[in-house]
Amino acid sequence: MVRRPRATAPVEETSEEIETLIEGHENLTRRLYLELRQERARHDALRQRYMDLGNYCHATEGYLQNERAERQEIEMQMRDLEKITEAGRKFVVVLIDADGYKFHEHYLLKADEGGGAAADELLAQVRGYMSTFLPDPEDIDVVVRAYANLGNLGRACWREMRTSTDDLRKFACDFNAQQPLFDFIDGGRGKERADRKIQELVTFYMHNQQCLHIVLAVCHDGGYVPLLKPFAADKKSRDRITLVFGAKIAQSFQILDWPWTAEFPSVFSSIVGDLQFTMSNLPSEMTSEVKELTKDTKREQE
């Protein structure tokens, strides 16, 4: 038996096969790498969606808690008003958008005690004003509802006076405790919350025969003007509302030419540097007073 040598492939063909295999492995590696990146991107996107849903659920829970607390507060207020109405007691209501009407610094800086002092002074000022057109004001109840975003207001007070939001909450608690019919309420986030509450309450009190008069501290915000326009056309309704002028008066309020106005300078801050209107926007009887305040401020700065 004669043995023949085994045929062997040329070296060139073997090298090409190896290169083909290497190229195939490289392509497979690149494809797997891209698929891995895509899978990781999908995983990251799903994780972000999960986190977003968690944040949304947390925010929704907080919103619902605020709504429940707000509803309970309104129900409590309505029960108080029902007691007054059932007893046949006449009252005057003061509605304050406290985001635009800041209490004097010496009240806010005292925190625990300042709220009570501010409540007493506000009561005295309102009764003094009532005495100009109502008989026996001491026998008439005064109901106060002040609404503010305590978070935003607290930050503003911190910038101006270095008082914290906690101090502002203490002020509000002391304000509420001092007078049984006074409430300083945290309206929560959003400008519309305070606006909506005050607008609804104005309508409610206008239809309440026990309510003799409504005192509105909202003149900083022209958004309240549409609420008052229907009442401006009716003398009986118009005479039941007094507008309180504060540090800022929106220009749109000038078109109303409201006959009943008041100022409580011992309660609300009226720093000239914070005023955001021109002399031409002011009623004539206020112009001279503002000019004098401006001169005094300039002298102090010099």
Side-chain angles (χ1 to χ4, degrees):
M1 184 175 184
V2 179
R3 294 193 178 187
R4 296 180 181 178
R6 182 180 296 177
T8 57
V11 175
E12 294 79 1
E13 294 181 4
T14 304
S15 299
E16 290 177 0
E17 292 176 357
I18 293 174
E19 289 177 359
T20 301
L21 288 172
I22 293 174
E23 185 177 354
H25 282 297
E26 288 177 347
N27 291 337
L28 178 61
T29 302
R30 281 193 292 269
R31 188 171 70 252
L32 292 174
Y33 176 71
L34 290 175
E35 291 178 356
L36 178 62
R37 289 188 60 183
Q38 292 172 357
E39 189 64 29
R40 183 174 296 173
R42 285 194 293 267
H43 177 269
D44 291 343
L46 288 173
R47 182 173 60 181
Q48 185 61 47
R49 286 184 60 188
Y50 175 78
M51 294 175 63
D52 292 342
L53 285 172
N55 292 335
Y56 176 78
C57 291
H58 180 72
T60 302
E61 183 181 359
Y63 174 78
L64 291 175
Q65 289 177 352
N66 290 337
E67 287 295 318
R68 283 194 290 268
E70 182 179 307
R71 190 181 302 112
Q72 291 173 356
E73 183 68 32
I74 292 175
E75 289 174 354
M76 182 180 68
Q77 294 174 17
M78 295 303 294
R79 285 195 295 270
D80 291 341
L81 292 174
E82 286 173 358
K83 291 178 182 178
I84 294 175
T85 304
E86 289 172 0
R89 291 158 57 184
K90 304 293 185 180
F91 65 93
V92 169
V93 65
V94 183
L95 301 176
I96 305 168
D97 187 335
D99 288 326
Y101 283 70
K102 188 180 72 176
F103 286 85
H104 270 299
E105 291 186 6
H106 60 268
Y107 295 128
L108 296 173
L109 289 172
K110 291 180 182 178
D112 291 337
E113 301 176 358
D120 288 341
E121 181 60 22
L122 178 58
L123 178 62
Q125 290 290 314
V126 172
R127 287 202 185 282
Y129 174 69
M130 289 162 51
S131 67
T132 63
F133 62 93
L134 290 175
D136 303 320
E138 295 297 327
D139 298 331
I140 300 173
D141 289 311
V142 177
V143 178
V144 174
R145 298 288 182 263
Y147 294 94
N149 180 339
L150 290 186
N152 287 347
L153 189 59
R155 285 188 287 273
C157 290
W158 172 257
R159 288 193 300 270
E160 297 175 15
M161 298 174 289
R162 289 298 183 264
T163 57
S164 66
T165 302
D166 287 340
D167 290 335
L168 188 59
R169 294 187 187 281
K170 292 177 182 177
F171 169 89
C173 289
D174 192 46
F175 182 90
N176 297 344
Q178 187 69 15
Q179 297 293 336
L181 298 178
F182 281 34
D183 287 297
F184 195 118
I185 302 162
D186 185 1
R189 295 180 179 178
K191 170 185 174 297
E192 294 77 10
R193 289 189 173 226
D195 292 12
R196 184 182 62 185
K197 287 179 180 297
I198 291 176
Q199 290 172 5
E200 290 295 331
L201 287 173
V202 169
T203 303
F204 172 80
Y205 288 122
M206 286 298 291
H207 292 88
N208 189 319
Q209 298 302 314
Q210 304 300 115
C211 180
L212 298 177
H213 204 77
I214 301 172
V215 180
L216 279 178
V218 299
C219 297
H220 67 292
D221 185 353
Y224 289 102
V225 171
L227 167 69
L228 295 172
K229 280 186 177 180
F231 302 128
D234 179 60
K235 184 179 185 304
K236 184 177 180 181
S237 298
R238 186 177 64 243
D239 289 346
R240 289 182 63 195
I241 299 176
T242 290
L243 300 181
V244 178
F245 288 160
K248 176 185 173 183
I249 303 175
Q251 185 175 1
S252 54
F253 266 93
Q254 305 309 314
I255 65 175
L256 290 175
D257 191 27
W258 206 263
W260 297 92
T261 61
E263 295 178 74
F264 300 146
S266 61
V267 178
F268 301 114
S269 175
S270 56
I271 301 173
V272 176
D274 290 340
L275 296 180
Q276 300 180 22
F277 51 83
T278 62
M279 294 296 179
S280 61
N281 295 330
L282 283 172
S284 57
E285 63 270 16
M286 292 180 62
T287 304
S288 59
E289 297 179 10
V290 172
K291 286 182 178 179
E292 289 300 320
L293 285 171
T294 306
K295 290 178 182 178
D296 293 341
T297 302
K298 288 182 177 178
R299 292 193 198 101
E300 293 175 1
Q301 292 176 345
E302 293 174 353

